Amino acid sequence: MTNPGRQDLVATLLAEARTPLGLLVLGWLALFGPTYYSLATTVWASDEQGHGPIIMAVSIWLLWRRRELLINLGSNVGRPVWGGVVFALGWLVYLIGRSQFIGFAEAGAQLLVLAGLVIFFKGFRGLNVIKFPLFFMLFMIPLPPDLVGAVTGPLKAAVSAVASQALYSLGYPVARSGVILSVGQYQLLVADACAGLNSMFTLEALGLLYMNIVNHVGFARNMALAVLIVPISFIANIVRVMVLVLVTYHFGDAAGQGFMHGFAGMVLFLVALVLILSVDKVLDIAFRRWEARS
C-alpha cells in the first residue's frame, strides 16, 4: 500500500517544479550540480577549504532572506539585454573553467549566471538587493593554487615566528626553524590549514557576515571593522598555533594531532568572533564620542 501523505508530498514537489522558480532551480542544479559534486569530493573535502559548504549554505540563507524584497520589485523592472549579456558571459566562463579544469573559474561562473538571471528579471535594482549574498559567495570559490602558494608561505612564517616568540616569552622551550616549531621533544609543522591564506579567507567571511547581520549604518565604522578583520584573523591564527603547541607539549603528539587538532580549529573561530565583537564595541564607543564632539 502507498502512503497518501507521501503521495501528496510528491505531487506538491512536482507542482512546484513546474513553476518558473522551480524550473530555474532545476536548471541551476543541472548546470552547477556537477561542479558542486567535484568541489565536494576534492577541495571542499580538505582542511584548507572545508569552509566551502558552510559558505554555500549561508549564501542560500542570505538569498532566501531577500526573496520578499525581490518579489516586491515587480515584474516590469527587468533588463533582459543586460541580463542576457551577463548570463552569456557566465556561461562562457563556466565552459572555459569546466573544459580546462580551472576550478575557480568554473565555480566563479555561478556569480555571473546568478547576477545575469537577477538582472534579466529584476533589473539592476534586483542586483542591488542581492549584492551582499552575491559577494559572500566569493568565499566558497576555491582560490587559485598559485595565489595560495605565494601568500601562504609568508603568512605561515609570520604566524610561526610570533607564536614561537610568545611561547618562549612565557617560559616554554620553543624553537623555530622556518615553519617547524620544536617544543620539548616534539616537532610541529605549521600546516596551510593552520595559518594559511584559506584560513584567513574564512575568517574574513565570518567577519563580513557579522557586519551584514548587525548592519551598522555608519560607512566609516563598517570600513574600519572590515579592515581590522585582517589583523584579527592573523591574531586568531597565532592563538590556534599556540594552542596546538601547548596541547602537544603537555599531552603528547597524539593529542595534538588528534581530537585537539580539530578543537583548535573551533578555538580559531571562537577567538576570531570574540575579537570581532570586542573591536566592534571599541569602535562603537570611539565613533559615539567622535559624533558627540562634532
Side-chain angles (χ1 to χ4, degrees):
M1 295 180 63
T2 58
N3 189 330
R6 183 177 298 177
Q7 287 182 333
D8 292 340
L9 177 61
V10 172
T12 302
L13 291 176
L14 289 175
E16 290 293 332
R18 296 190 185 98
T19 64
L21 179 60
L23 292 174
L24 283 174
V25 171
L26 290 176
W28 183 276
L29 292 176
L31 178 62
F32 290 108
T35 301
Y36 296 145
Y37 178 78
S38 298
L39 291 172
T41 55
T42 54
V43 293
W44 285 357
S46 65
D47 291 337
E48 290 83 0
Q49 303 198 47
H51 60 273
I54 300 175
I55 299 295
M56 180 179 175
V58 174
S59 299
I60 294 172
W61 173 70
L62 290 170
L63 288 169
W64 182 256
R65 288 182 64 194
R66 286 159 173 77
R67 69 190 186 283
E68 294 296 336
L69 294 175
L70 281 176
I71 294 173
N72 292 335
L73 289 177
S75 57
N76 58 348
V77 294
R79 297 290 187 89
V81 175
W82 283 106
V85 170
V86 177
F87 183 83
L89 179 61
W91 258 99
L92 178 62
V93 173
Y94 174 80
L95 291 175
I96 293 174
R98 186 71 178 174
S99 61
Q100 302 302 314
F101 303 100
I102 306 174
F104 71 91
E106 180 184 350
Q110 61 186 321
L111 276 71
L112 291 171
V113 172
L114 179 59
L117 288 171
V118 172
I119 295 171
F120 188 95
F121 290 105
K122 297 297 180 180
F124 291 102
R125 291 168 59 190
L127 185 64
N128 186 60
V129 169
I130 68 160
K131 61 184 179 182
F132 181 77
L134 198 65
F135 174 75
F136 194 74
M137 289 174 68
L138 282 171
F139 292 94
M140 65 179 281
I141 299 172
L143 295 171
D146 292 340
L147 174 63
V148 174
V151 178
T152 293
L155 272 177
K156 289 197 300 181
V159 169
S160 303
V162 176
S164 61
Q165 185 60 46
L167 290 171
Y168 183 79
S169 301
L170 294 174
Y172 285 93
V174 178
R176 181 179 70 92
S177 176
V179 294
I180 298 177
L181 301 181
S182 300
V183 54
Q185 59 180 323
Y186 305 106
Q187 284 190 334
L188 294 89
L189 173 66
V190 179
D192 294 354
C194 294
L197 178 61
N198 287 305
S199 177
M200 296 192 70
F201 204 57
T202 306
L203 294 177
E204 187 73 20
L206 175 65
L208 293 176
L209 178 62
Y210 168 80
M211 288 174 54
N212 180 257
I213 292 175
V214 297
N215 194 25
H216 294 310
V217 177
F219 175 77
R221 179 177 173 181
N222 285 328
M223 284 300 299
L225 184 58
V227 171
L228 289 172
I229 289 173
V230 176
I232 286 173
S233 303
F234 183 75
I235 294 171
N237 275 290
I238 293 172
V239 173
R240 178 182 186 178
V241 172
M242 291 176 64
V243 168
L244 286 174
V245 172
L246 290 174
V247 168
T248 301
Y249 179 72
H250 288 289
F251 302 103
D253 186 63
Q257 298 301 319
F259 168 77
M260 294 304 296
H261 190 277
F263 179 74
M266 296 175 60
V267 171
L268 171 74
F269 287 100
L270 181 61
V271 169
L273 184 59
V274 170
L275 288 174
I276 290 171
L277 292 172
S278 302
V279 169
D280 189 34
K281 185 63 177 179
V282 172
L283 289 175
D284 179 56
I285 296 172
F287 276 94
R288 285 180 183 274
R289 290 182 177 178
W290 181 75
E291 290 173 357
R293 292 177 181 176
S294 60

